[in-house]
């Protein structure tokens, strides 16, 4: 993954200040005795778009509210551009936020919504008007200046919420589940739109989502959270291709999980015996695991292929589905384990019929992941 | 849109019958007496022998009567403002409290409604009297040498009325504040607004419907609170309800009593219309 931090030359003249770096330093937050955020440390570079990805209730919103200053964390520091901001109230942090429900002021017109933050900072009226025009142009909503929020569609409301947050040139932009309330077609449009605006403004953005596809397609880097803890922080390809934990592996993308035991491991390779019989030799060491350890091996459906007799794992086709450019087969092994196999579909190709005996094996052993088996 | 309107119309016609008993009730016991009152006011003399506008001419040129009307409306406005001043913080407290405290606040708010107005009014006489709780306390603390005159004053009456009418203000306010999305204040703060700006620019305008509803209720209740006005206000303080009562029942001047009633009603309706004018502002953004 190339470093996608924005170059100054891409920055629109509407934004003098580029984004600033954001560091979350060992943040912990407890609601009473329940720990919502547990020792999270993240270093976010200026101009990056980082997603906080995780299932519902894992503490993403709490983390966002801590950065905005709506919640005071139990422990840890929030540092923007090198300066801790923990002692600043929300109105002095210069952190813009777009809420999941947009939270536009219903009694103000679109133009007044966008001008709200400017007025709060004492910008004079003429300058406010100029800036409002600039922001309306940025989100392509020039014709809607005099409407009230109720008269706008969901996507339009989101554009205005974004324009309102960006009008005051915040140092950081926070987006809480920005696409959750939009229907599927509009969602893709707005994802592209927000990415465009974020790159153009050069602002550092943190986006909360529980949708892995959204995170993979939009982010420079993704922080995967589970139960308040940071599981992995990396580029989309690192997260997808080299998940560091079983949780990240299963939460991001689909995967086939096969139990087995580690037979041996040296500096360059390791060997695993699957419970289904197959022995795999992977071209890398199994870190922090001793021989004999119970493991789980993960193979993505697109990394499984049908092979000749005598190789791989034996099974029977349960179901075959053509999905546009791919065909997905569900295979059941002799021990009754279900596996998904996804293969490219050439023109006119038909899926195997149910009951066909087949053999499958990983295509790339490098892409096979191995994790310690979760404790029962 | 057009088809939507016809379906609503049809269902309204069908269900309209359900409101018929209430309509008849209103016609018989509200509209009819009102028309009768108006008819009585159109008599030129006390014995209702001749028709004419003489009573209106008399009432509208009578400085004393207009003074009473003005005092009454002032009483209503002052009580409403005091209720708003006391009620808004209470409603605010309710909004930010946990569920248990919310229950306590609601209970304390509606408790006065569960006791009779007469009981509450007598309680205020006990509190505000020369030997009442307030004066005893002030004397004991040495804050005053002689008991203060609190009872039978306009100020004392405003306080008593505000307590009696407070639930009418607080309940609509609680309702309005609960409908307010807390994210709006967060958004306002994130945009750089301090607490006061957020309050005056966001919270206050958006709770306007509750403020208007509460004000209309408190105002109309305060100006017509015959019992509390008479008992706490006493003989020296004269307000419209008592003035009308005296003209009708003591002086048996029914046409004049009817006339000042009509004038009083129009004046109150005018004040309520003024409150509602504020509501125009909220309709602009909430209507599609
Ligand atoms: N105000 C609060 N009081 C108590 N618990 C809370 C509060 N807000 C969130 N939580 C709890 O903290 C955890 C994380 O919540 P949240 O940050 O909203 O998760 P997410 O946004 O990832 O879905 C959840 O278990 C939630 O129940
Ligand atoms: Mg959330």
């Amino acid at each position: 993954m190339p470093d996608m931090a924005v170059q100054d030359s891409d920055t629109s003249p509407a934004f003098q200040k580029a984004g600033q770096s954001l560091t979350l330093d060992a943040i912990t937050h407890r609601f009473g005795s329940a720990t919502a955020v547990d020792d999270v440390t993240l270093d976010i570079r200026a101009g990056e778009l980082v997603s906080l990805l995780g299932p519902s209730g894992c503490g993403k919103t709490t983390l966002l509210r801590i950065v905005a200053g709506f919640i005071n964390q139990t422990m840890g520091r929030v540092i923007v551009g090198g300066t801790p901001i923990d002692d600043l109230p929300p109105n002095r942090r210069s952190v813009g936020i777009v809420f999941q429900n947009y939270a536009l002021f219903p009694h103000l017109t679109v133009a007044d919504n966008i001008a709200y933050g400017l007025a709060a900072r004492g910008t004079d009226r003429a300058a406010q008007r100029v800036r409002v025009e600039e922001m309306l142009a940025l989100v392509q909503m020039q014709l809607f200046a005099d409407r009230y929020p109720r008269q706008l569609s969901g996507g339009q409301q989101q554009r205005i919420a974004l324009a309102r947050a960006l009008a005051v040139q915040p140092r950081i932009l926070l987006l809480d589940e920005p696409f959750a309330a939009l229907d599927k077609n509009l969602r893709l449009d707005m994802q592209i739109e927000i990415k465009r605006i974020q790159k153009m403004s050069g602002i550092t953005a943190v986006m909360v989502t529980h949708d892995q596809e959204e995170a993979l397609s939009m982010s420079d880097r993704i922080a995967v959270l589970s139960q308040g803890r940071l599981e992995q922080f990396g580029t989309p390809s690192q997260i997808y291709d080299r998940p560091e934990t079983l949780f990240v592996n299963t939460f991001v993308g689909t995967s086939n999980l096969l139990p087995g035991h580690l037979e041996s491991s040296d500096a360059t390779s390791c060997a695993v015996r699957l419970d289904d019989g197959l022995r795999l030799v992977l071209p890398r060491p199994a870190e922090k695991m001793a021989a004999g350890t119970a493991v789980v091996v993960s193979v993505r459906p697109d990394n499984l292929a049908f092979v000749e007799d005598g190789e791989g794992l034996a099974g029977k086709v349960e179901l075959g589905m053509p999905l546009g450019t791919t065909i997905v087969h569900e295979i059941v092994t002799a021990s009754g384990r279900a596996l998904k196999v996804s293969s490219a579909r050439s023109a006119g190709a038909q899926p195997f019929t149910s009951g066909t005996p087949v053999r499958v094996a990983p295509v790339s052993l490098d892409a096979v992941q191995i994790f310690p088996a979760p404790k029962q | 849109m057009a088809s939507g309107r016809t379906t609503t119309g049809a269902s309204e016609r069908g269900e309209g019958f359900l409101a018929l008993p209430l309509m008849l009730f209103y016609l018989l016991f509200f509209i009819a007496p009102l028309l009768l009152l108006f008819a009585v006011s159109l008599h030129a003399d006390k014995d209702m022998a001749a028709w004419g506008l003489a009573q209106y001419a008399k009432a509208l040129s009578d400085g004393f009567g207009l003074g009473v009307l003005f005092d009454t409306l002032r009483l209503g406005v002052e009580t409403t403002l005091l209720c708003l001043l006391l009620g808004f913080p209470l409603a605010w407290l309710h909004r930010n409290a946990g569920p248990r405290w919310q229950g306590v606040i609601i209970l304390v708010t509606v408790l006065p409604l569960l006791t009779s107005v007469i009981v509450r009014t007598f309680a205020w006489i006990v509190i505000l009297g020369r030997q009442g709780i307030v004066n005893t306390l002030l004397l004991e603390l040495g804050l005053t040498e002689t008991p203060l005159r609190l009872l039978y004053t306009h100020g004392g009456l405003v306080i008593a009325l505000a307590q009696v009418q407070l639930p009418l203000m607080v309940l609509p306010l609680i309702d309005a504040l609960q409908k307010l999305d807390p994210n709006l204040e967060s958004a306002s703060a994130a945009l750089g607004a301090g607490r006061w700006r957020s309050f005056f620019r966001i919270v206050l305008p958006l709770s306007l419907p509750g403020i208007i509803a509460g004000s209309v209720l408190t105002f109309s209740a305060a100006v017509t609170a015959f019992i509390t006005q008479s008992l706490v206000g006493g003989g020296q303080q004269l307000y419209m309800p008592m003035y009308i009562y005296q003209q009708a029942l003591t002086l048996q001047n029914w046409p004049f009593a009817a006339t000042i009633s009509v004038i009083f009603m129009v004046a109150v309706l005018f004040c309520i219309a003024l409150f509602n004018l504020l509501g125009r502002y909220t309709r602009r953004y909430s209507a599609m």
Side-chain angles (χ1 to χ4, degrees):
Chain A
M1 265 269 136
D3 189 335
M4 290 175 73
V6 166
Q7 307 302 304
D8 279 352
S9 55
D10 303 352
T11 309
S12 135
F15 298 89
Q16 284 88 38
K17 279 189 282 188
Q20 303 210 14
S21 66
L22 168 66
T23 303
L24 304 184
D25 181 17
I27 302 270
T28 294
H29 189 76
R30 297 193 193 91
F31 289 108
S33 61
T35 304
V37 177
D38 190 359
D39 194 23
V40 169
T41 296
L42 287 176
D43 262 307
I44 298 168
R45 290 190 285 266
E48 252 189 324
L49 193 161
V50 166
S51 288
L52 304 179
L53 175 66
S56 190
C58 72
K60 307 179 297 286
T61 297
T62 305
L63 211 46
L64 218 57
R65 297 183 78 85
I66 287 170
V67 175
F70 303 141
I71 304 179
N72 288 317
Q73 68 271 27
T74 315
M75 277 188 284
R77 291 185 306 166
V78 179
I79 301 162
V80 173
T83 319
I85 59 167
D86 306 291
D87 294 333
L88 296 178
N91 55 325
R92 310 258 313 277
R93 287 194 176 196
S94 198
V95 169
I97 180 161
V98 175
F99 291 91
Q100 186 173 340
N101 65 355
Y102 315 131
L104 293 175
F105 305 127
H107 58 306
L108 302 181
T109 60
V110 162
D112 288 343
N113 263 279
I114 298 175
Y116 186 87
L118 300 167
R121 274 146 216 254
T123 312
D124 69 69
R125 285 196 175 267
Q128 281 181 32
R129 257 197 303 276
V130 172
R131 185 70 182 160
V132 167
E133 282 304 316
E134 260 174 27
M135 297 321 297
L136 284 171
L138 181 73
V139 297
Q140 297 165 3
M141 292 279 291
Q142 292 97 321
L143 300 177
F144 297 85
D146 297 323
R147 300 268 190 104
Y148 285 95
R150 284 261 187 125
Q151 301 167 315
L152 303 178
S153 71
Q156 292 171 332
Q157 288 188 24
Q158 185 173 53
R159 284 164 197 260
I160 299 309
L162 190 64
R164 180 179 71 174
L166 291 176
V168 293
Q169 305 200 359
R171 298 186 290 178
I172 308 283
L173 178 67
L174 307 175
L175 303 145
D176 191 359
E177 307 256 2
F179 311 108
L182 300 179
D183 60 53
K184 210 171 157 91
N185 293 330
L186 193 57
R187 200 175 297 178
L188 187 62
D189 287 347
M190 284 312 294
Q191 286 173 0
I192 295 169
E193 185 73 3
I194 286 191
K195 182 81 180 168
R196 175 182 75 83
I197 292 168
Q198 187 260 335
K199 285 301 160 201
M200 202 170 173
S201 59
I203 194 167
T204 312
V206 181
M207 174 179 102
V208 157
T209 179
H210 61 257
D211 181 336
Q212 41 135 334
E213 280 176 34
E214 196 168 289
L216 289 170
S217 64
M218 291 185 67
S219 322
D220 296 321
R221 285 193 292 167
I222 300 172
V224 184
L225 297 166
S226 164
Q227 296 181 346
R229 260 193 296 274
L230 180 65
E231 293 275 329
Q232 187 173 354
F233 185 34
T235 62
S237 59
Q238 282 168 346
I239 297 285
Y240 190 83
D241 298 331
R242 287 275 174 267
E244 284 168 10
T245 65
L246 187 57
F247 176 84
V248 175
N249 177 83
T250 39
F251 190 75
V252 179
T254 20
S255 56
N256 297 300
L257 297 180
L258 299 160
H261 284 83
L262 188 64
E263 279 192 349
S264 63
S265 175
D266 56 38
T268 57
S269 69
C270 64
V272 184
R273 170 75 63 187
L274 299 183
D275 291 358
D276 279 311
L278 187 65
R279 185 169 185 273
L280 296 173
V281 179
L282 311 182
R284 90 190 97 88
E287 279 159 29
K288 296 181 210 140
M289 282 181 274
T293 310
V295 295
V296 173
V297 168
S298 157
V299 191
R300 302 263 186 217
D302 53 6
N303 191 28
L304 275 179
F306 296 105
V307 290
E308 299 299 315
D309 281 355
E311 293 176 54
L313 272 172
K316 268 204 320 244
V317 172
E318 180 80 10
L319 191 71
M321 280 186 298
L323 297 175
T325 56
T326 58
I327 298 183
V328 173
H329 286 94
E330 188 161 284
I331 312 294
V332 177
T333 64
S335 64
R337 199 172 311 285
L339 298 176
K340 283 196 179 64
V341 181
S342 152
S343 31
R345 177 172 170 272
S346 48
Q350 289 300 315
F352 291 121
T353 52
S354 303
T356 313
V358 289
R359 298 189 77 87
V360 293
V363 181
S364 155
L365 286 169
D366 188 36
V368 172
Q369 304 299 318
I370 159 172
F371 305 100
K375 293 179 185 66
Q376 300 298 296
Chain B
M1 195 64 221
S3 69
R5 202 168 276 162
T6 30
T7 21
T8 327
S11 76
E12 268 170 9
R13 257 198 309 283
E15 287 157 14
F17 287 107
L18 295 174
L20 210 59
L22 189 68
M23 269 158 61
L24 280 175
F25 186 87
Y26 265 157
L27 209 65
L28 218 59
F29 296 104
F30 183 67
I31 307 287
L34 215 57
L35 290 175
L36 207 61
L37 185 81
F38 192 56
V40 171
S41 77
L42 292 177
H43 284 91
D45 60 328
K46 195 175 163 182
D47 303 319
M48 296 199 268
W51 297 88
L53 292 171
Q55 304 295 346
Y56 283 91
K58 187 179 148 200
L60 291 172
S61 59
D62 173 18
F64 175 76
L66 290 178
V68 173
L69 177 64
F70 178 78
D71 281 349
T72 311
L73 298 180
R74 186 166 68 113
L75 180 73
V77 170
E78 286 168 354
T79 305
T80 304
L81 287 180
L82 187 60
C83 278
L84 195 58
L85 221 62
L86 298 173
F88 206 98
L90 194 62
W92 188 259
L93 218 60
H94 174 274
R95 176 178 187 236
N96 297 323
R100 184 175 307 178
W101 279 106
Q102 286 193 334
V104 172
I105 291 171
I106 291 279
L107 186 72
V108 169
T109 306
V110 299
L111 210 56
L113 291 181
L114 305 178
T115 56
S116 139
V117 181
I118 301 183
V119 173
R120 276 182 284 162
T121 302
F122 273 115
W124 276 106
I125 293 181
V126 173
I127 293 168
L128 298 175
R130 281 183 76 82
Q131 272 102 46
I133 297 167
V134 175
N135 268 323
T136 313
L137 199 72
L138 291 176
L139 287 170
E140 295 265 317
L141 291 173
L143 292 173
T144 173
E145 308 258 300
T146 51
L148 297 178
R149 232 185 105 227
L150 301 167
L151 200 59
Y152 310 135
T153 63
H154 186 81
L157 179 56
V158 169
I159 293 173
L161 274 176
Q163 189 269 331
V164 173
Q165 321 293 5
L166 197 58
L168 299 179
M169 179 61 90
V170 173
L171 293 178
L173 283 181
I174 282 179
D175 182 57
L177 286 182
Q178 257 180 343
K179 285 184 189 142
L180 196 65
D181 175 7
N183 278 351
L184 294 179
E185 286 159 271
S186 296
S188 170
L191 289 166
R195 276 168 186 273
W196 289 109
R197 178 177 277 269
S198 294
F199 181 79
F200 284 110
R201 295 296 169 91
I202 307 298
V203 176
L204 204 59
L206 290 176
S207 42
L208 215 51
I211 294 175
I212 291 168
S215 298
V216 166
L217 289 174
T218 342
F219 179 80
S220 21
V223 292
T224 53
F226 181 66
I227 295 170
T228 313
Q229 284 175 4
S230 314
L231 294 180
V232 182
Q236 286 106 323
Q237 306 285 323
L238 186 61
Y239 299 102
M240 284 309 280
M242 181 51 114
Y243 186 43
I244 294 167
Y245 175 85
Q246 285 174 351
Q247 291 298 325
L249 295 168
T250 316
L251 302 175
Q252 293 288 317
N253 192 347
W254 288 94
F256 188 67
T259 301
I260 55 179
S261 298
V262 170
I263 292 172
F264 181 40
M265 196 172 67
V266 170
V268 169
L269 285 176
F270 177 75
C271 291
I272 290 176
L274 281 185
F275 282 124
N276 278 325
L277 218 57
L278 277 173
R280 281 260 176 97
Y281 169 77
T282 68
R283 271 195 293 279
R284 203 178 57 204
Y285 63 82
S286 54
M288 274 298 282

